[in-house]
Amino acid sequence: MTPLCVRAEPGDATVAMEATGGRDYRAWSLLGDVELRADSTFLTLGYLGTRPEPGTPPSHVLTVGVDQSLGLHALLSAALQVGLPKSTRVELFREQPPRRPAPVDATTGYASQGAQVTAAWDSAGLSDVEFGGDASVAVTRYPLSRELTTTTATGAPVRYTREDVLWAARPAVGGRLLLGTHWELGARGGLTLYSEDPLSAGQFTSEEEATLSRRLENAVEARRLLRRFQSRINRDLGAALSRRLADVNATAGIPTAPARFDLRPSLTWKPGPGVRGQLAYAFTRYVAGEGHSHLVSTRWTVRLGAPLRVWAAVALQQDVREESSGEDAGDTPPRNRSGMVTLGGEYTF
C-alpha cells in the first residue's frame, strides 16, 4: 500500500504508466494527476486496457475523478468510470458438408458504467508508530449481451439474442501500520455483491443448447463445447468485474472468474530513502462453483532523482477450480499456475 494522503507538490502534475504481462494475459494503464487548487483539490484521469487471452478483443476503460484533501490527515475521492462497448465472436462449429449443413457462431458483448467514493485517513505524524486506513464503495452497471446464430435445413437464419443488465457493488477497506522508518504492514479486503448470478446473466439458454446439440453428434459434445466457451467468457468477464483502475498488475493477479471477496496482506521494507520493497499475498474467492486463487508477489520501487521513480513486480498465481459432477474429466484442470510481470514508471513535472 502507498501512503494515503501524499500528493504532488503545488503546481505539479504526475503521469504514471504501467504494463503487465503473463502467459496469455496483458494489461496496460496510464494515470494522470493534475492540481486544481493548491494543496487541496486534484483532478485524476485514467485509461486502462486489458486482454485476458489471445483471440479476445481488448477492453478499454476511461476514468475521471476528483481528490479533495481535508487538511494533513484526511482525503475524499470520487470517480466515474466508463468501459467502452466490446464484443467477442467465436465460431463454435464450422460447416462440414454433407453431414452438417450449417455453422454455429456465438457473440458476447458488454460495457460498463460505474462510480466510486473513497474516504481515507492518515495519522501523518513523526512518531515511531503511525497508521492509516481507507474505505470505499463502488457501484457498476454492466449491460451484458449474447447472440447465437445458425441456420435451418432450408438455409433460413436462426438467431437467438438476449441482453441482461448486471449490477455489482464492491465495498472495500484497507489499513496500514508504519513501524519506525523501515517497515510497514498493510492489509486490504473487498466484497463484491451482484444483482444476479454473474455466470448466468446474459448467457445461453437450454433452448439454445438444444439447438447446438442438433448440429453436433450428441448433447455431451455440445455441453463440452459450450463449457469451454463459457470458461473463456468467465475470464473476460472476471477481468472486467474485478477491475480496479489503480490496481491491475502483478500484485493484484489475474481473475479467471467473477470474484466474491478478496484479502490482501502485505509487508513493505524501506532500506533507504530511494528504495522500497514489498512482499504480498492475496486470496480471492470466486463466485460459487468457480473455486479460488492464491497469489504471492513482490514489488520493488526505485526513485531516480526527484521527478522520476520506476518499479517492477513479479507474481505467481495458482487457481484452484471446483469440480462439478456434470463435468467431463480433463475438460478443465483443477489447478492452474500462471506467472506475471509488471513494469511501471511515474514522472512528476
Side-chain angles (χ1 to χ4, degrees), residues 121-147:
W121 186 87
D122 197 302
S123 58
L126 299 176
S127 66
D128 290 338
V129 178
E130 298 291 338
F131 55 91
D134 65 272
S136 64
V137 176
V139 177
T140 309
R141 175 181 179 270
Y142 297 94
L144 306 175
S145 65
R146 65 95 184 81
E147 181 177 279

Side-chain angles (χ1 to χ4, degrees), residues 133-214:
D134 65 272
S136 64
V137 176
V139 177
T140 309
R141 175 181 179 270
Y142 297 94
L144 306 175
S145 65
R146 65 95 184 81
E147 181 177 279
L148 190 66
T149 305
T150 184
T151 58
T152 64
T154 61
V158 177
R159 179 176 291 118
Y160 298 90
T161 61
R162 181 181 177 187
E163 182 169 339
D164 291 328
V165 175
L166 178 68
W167 289 87
R170 177 180 166 81
V173 295
R176 67 191 189 106
L177 179 66
L178 279 73
L179 304 174
T181 58
H182 298 290
W183 297 96
E184 177 182 324
L185 295 174
R188 179 167 297 278
L191 171 69
T192 307
L193 305 173
Y194 303 100
S195 59
E196 59 181 296
D197 183 0
L199 300 180
S200 61
Q203 299 309 320
F204 299 104
T205 64
S206 57
E207 180 184 17
E208 293 164 340
E209 291 187 13
T211 299
L212 183 60
S213 299
R214 290 194 293 269

Side-chain angles (χ1 to χ4, degrees), residues 19-292:
T20 298
R23 180 172 54 187
D24 296 322
Y25 183 86
R26 301 289 185 271
W28 53 96
S29 64
L30 176 64
L31 303 174
D33 188 312
V34 181
E35 184 181 55
L36 299 181
R37 184 181 300 172
D39 299 323
S40 61
T41 307
F42 301 83
L43 174 69
T44 60
L45 302 171
Y47 161 76
L48 169 68
T50 56
R51 193 212 64 181
E53 62 182 11
T56 300
S59 301
H60 304 283
V61 179
L62 304 175
T63 66
V64 59
V66 175
D67 296 346
Q68 179 64 49
S69 295
L70 305 177
L72 295 176
H73 299 278
L75 176 73
L76 289 177
S77 301
L80 298 176
Q81 173 182 292
V82 175
L84 303 183
K86 62 164 287 185
S87 62
T88 301
R89 179 182 176 273
V90 175
E91 188 176 43
L92 294 180
F93 179 71
R94 295 182 180 179
E95 185 175 3
Q96 297 179 6
R99 294 180 59 199
R100 293 292 181 266
V104 179
D105 296 334
T107 302
T108 62
Y110 67 82
S112 66
Q113 306 88 37
Q116 177 173 301
V117 177
T118 303
W121 186 87
D122 197 302
S123 58
L126 299 176
S127 66
D128 290 338
V129 178
E130 298 291 338
F131 55 91
D134 65 272
S136 64
V137 176
V139 177
T140 309
R141 175 181 179 270
Y142 297 94
L144 306 175
S145 65
R146 65 95 184 81
E147 181 177 279
L148 190 66
T149 305
T150 184
T151 58
T152 64
T154 61
V158 177
R159 179 176 291 118
Y160 298 90
T161 61
R162 181 181 177 187
E163 182 169 339
D164 291 328
V165 175
L166 178 68
W167 289 87
R170 177 180 166 81
V173 295
R176 67 191 189 106
L177 179 66
L178 279 73
L179 304 174
T181 58
H182 298 290
W183 297 96
E184 177 182 324
L185 295 174
R188 179 167 297 278
L191 171 69
T192 307
L193 305 173
Y194 303 100
S195 59
E196 59 181 296
D197 183 0
L199 300 180
S200 61
Q203 299 309 320
F204 299 104
T205 64
S206 57
E207 180 184 17
E208 293 164 340
E209 291 187 13
T211 299
L212 183 60
S213 299
R214 290 194 293 269
R215 296 295 189 276
L216 301 176
E217 290 295 331
N218 52 58
V220 174
E221 186 179 357
R223 286 196 300 270
R224 182 186 295 115
L225 191 151
L226 281 174
R227 189 159 50 245
R228 290 174 178 170
F229 181 63
Q230 184 65 52
S231 176
R232 181 177 185 176
I233 295 173
N234 288 349
R235 284 178 59 89
D236 200 12
L237 187 59
L241 296 177
S242 303
R243 185 178 297 130
R244 294 170 290 278
L245 185 62
D247 195 24
V248 180
N249 47 45
T251 61
I254 303 172
T256 58
R260 176 60 67 189
F261 68 87
D262 58 85
L263 299 172
R264 302 169 184 270
S266 64
L267 173 65
T268 301
W269 177 48
K270 308 174 202 175
V275 180
R276 179 187 182 98
Q278 182 186 79
L279 178 65
Y281 165 77
F283 173 82
T284 300
R285 175 68 189 185
Y286 300 126
V287 294
E290 294 300 310
H292 60 274

Side-chain angles (χ1 to χ4, degrees), residues 304-328:
L304 304 176
L308 176 65
R309 66 186 184 109
V310 296
W311 58 85
V314 295
L316 178 64
Q317 177 175 323
Q318 177 174 272
D319 286 277
V320 181
R321 191 175 188 277
E322 295 181 2
E323 296 184 19
S324 64
S325 58
E327 287 188 345
D328 298 325

